[in-house]
Amino acid sequence: MKSFSQHEHFTQPHLEHKRHLPALEKQQRQIDEILHSVSLDDNGEFVFATKICCYTVASIISDLNRGILQCLKIESYSGAETLSRTSLENSINLIIFSKNKTSAKPKSIIVHYLKTSKIRAQKWLRYARENNDTESIKRSSEFSQWLDSLRGLFGDLETKEVKGWPDAYSRFKEAGYEHFYHILFAPASDSTHGFSNDIFNRFFGELLPVNETERQQLFDGQLAEKISFAYYLATFSILFYCAAASHIAERAENEEASKKIDTIAKCLQAMITEHETLTKACLEKR
C-alpha cells in the first residue's frame, strides 16, 4: 500500500479548491440577476413588510457574498470565514421572511431591534452616569428617547402573532435547515469569536515532537486546509443564497427563475461534494 504523503494526499488536493473562484463569482452574479428579475408585486401575495425585508436582506447577502469572493481573491481567508457565517445566517433569515404570509416576522425583527437597542442605550446611560460623562449621558438619553418615539411608526407591534425574534438555532430549524446549523453554522462560529481553532493548530504544530521539515509540512497542510475551508464556507454561502432565491421565485410563481436557480444549485452542490469527498478520502488514508 502506498504510504500517506502529507503534500500529495492532503496539502495539494486542498489547494486545488482555489480553482473554483471564477465559477463562484459567475454563479453569484447569476443569482443576483435572477433575483432582480423576480417581481414581488404580482404573484405570491407578498405584503409590504415582507417585500421590504426580502429586498433589504437579499441586497445585504449579495454584498456579503461579493465581499467573501473578494477576500478569496486577495487571499484573506480569515475574512472569508467570518463573512461567510454572517451570510449564512442572513440567508436563513431571508428564507424565513419569504415563507411568512403576514407581517409577523418583519414585525418580530423590528421588535427585537428596538428592545435590544433600548437595553444597550440603558447600559450606556448607566455607564455614563457612573463615570460622570456628561456628553455620553446626553447622547444615550436622546438615543433611548428616539427609540421610544420610533415604535409608533410601525403600527401595533404588541400582538399575539408577533413572537420574539428566535435565536440562530431556532431560525435554522424553522427554515428547515437544522442539519446545517450543526455541521456548518455552529462550527464556523469560531471564525467570528476568536479563531481559537487556528490558535490551537499553531500550538499543536509547535509542540509536536517532530523535525523542522515535518513541522513545516504540517503547517503547510494546516494552511491548505484553512484555505479549503474558506472556499467551502464561501460555496455554502452562495448555495444558501441560491436556496433563499429559490424560495422567493417559487412563491412568486416564476418558473423560469426557478429553473435557472436549480441549475446553479446543482453546480454549487457539485463543488460541495468535491470538498466532502476529499475530507472523507483524507480521513480514510490517515
Side-chain angles (χ1 to χ4, degrees):
M1 179 182 288
K2 189 177 181 181
S3 61
F4 181 84
S5 164
Q6 175 76 9
H7 179 77
E8 180 183 350
H9 297 129
F10 189 89
T11 303
Q12 191 56 42
H14 279 84
L15 291 176
E16 285 295 319
H17 294 144
K18 295 172 72 174
R19 77 183 193 283
H20 291 164
L21 182 56
L24 291 172
E25 290 177 318
K26 177 182 178 181
Q27 286 150 358
Q28 174 63 36
R29 286 194 303 269
Q30 289 176 334
I31 298 169
D32 283 338
E33 292 169 359
I34 293 167
L35 261 185
H36 288 152
S37 73
V38 177
S39 173
L40 306 187
D41 296 323
D42 301 324
N43 302 315
E45 299 181 348
F46 289 87
V47 299
F48 175 72
T50 299
K51 289 179 185 179
I52 289 178
C53 287
C54 286
Y55 286 134
T56 304
V57 178
S59 177
I60 290 168
I61 299 167
S62 176
D63 196 22
L64 287 167
N65 285 358
R66 286 184 286 110
I68 292 166
L69 294 170
Q70 190 62 30
C71 283
L72 295 178
K73 187 175 292 187
I74 64 173
E75 301 184 348
S76 175
Y77 301 113
S78 296
E81 288 180 50
T82 302
L83 289 175
S84 292
R85 188 172 188 266
T86 304
S87 174
L88 290 168
E89 184 172 4
N90 277 278
S91 286
I92 289 297
N93 291 348
L94 183 54
I95 291 169
I96 289 173
F97 288 133
S98 70
K99 287 183 173 183
N100 189 237
K101 299 290 186 178
T102 69
S103 298
K105 285 300 180 182
K107 285 185 176 181
S108 176
I109 200 168
I110 291 297
V111 169
H112 177 74
Y113 168 74
L114 293 173
K115 285 184 176 179
T116 55
S117 296
K118 182 74 173 182
I119 291 170
R120 288 195 296 270
Q122 291 170 337
K123 289 181 178 179
W124 182 16
L125 177 58
R126 183 170 63 250
Y127 167 82
R129 284 172 174 166
E130 290 172 352
N131 290 273
N132 198 28
D133 185 338
T134 304
E135 183 174 349
S136 287
I137 290 173
K138 180 176 182 295
R139 290 179 59 194
S140 58
S141 296
E142 290 176 346
F143 180 51
S144 183
Q145 292 167 9
W146 179 74
L147 289 170
D148 291 336
S149 67
L150 282 179
R151 294 185 71 88
L153 292 175
F154 296 93
D156 188 3
L157 294 175
E158 305 297 336
T159 62
K160 290 183 179 180
E161 69 170 4
V162 180
K163 310 296 183 181
W165 185 247
D167 59 24
Y169 168 73
S170 299
R171 276 178 275 141
F172 270 78
K173 185 175 182 180
E174 180 180 347
Y177 294 88
E178 181 181 2
H179 172 73
F180 292 99
Y181 176 87
H182 295 292
I183 70 160
L184 191 65
F185 184 77
S189 66
D190 181 67
S191 303
T192 304
H193 304 294
F195 286 92
S196 55
N197 186 62
D198 293 58
I199 296 170
F200 171 83
N201 284 340
R202 187 70 192 189
F203 265 107
F204 178 77
E206 294 291 354
L207 296 174
L208 208 61
V210 296
N211 62 49
E212 290 309 306
T213 299
E214 292 172 323
R215 194 184 315 281
Q216 187 57 53
Q217 289 176 345
L218 174 65
F219 286 145
D220 289 345
Q222 288 178 349
L223 177 59
E225 187 174 31
K226 180 180 178 68
I227 291 170
S228 176
F229 184 58
Y231 272 85
Y232 183 66
L233 288 177
T235 306
F236 258 118
S237 294
I238 298 174
L239 182 57
F240 266 63
Y241 180 45
C242 189
S246 178
H247 282 280
I248 292 173
E250 182 178 353
R251 179 171 170 182
E253 300 176 19
N254 191 321
E255 293 184 10
E256 182 181 356
S258 293
K259 289 179 182 178
K260 291 179 179 178
I261 291 169
D262 185 57
T263 300
I264 295 170
K266 289 177 181 177
C267 293
L268 291 166
Q269 188 58 59
M271 293 183 194
I272 294 296
T273 299
E274 182 180 324
H275 279 273
E276 294 174 349
T277 299
L278 173 61
T279 298
K280 183 178 179 181
C282 288
L283 290 172
E284 290 175 348
K285 287 178 181 177
R286 282 188 163 180

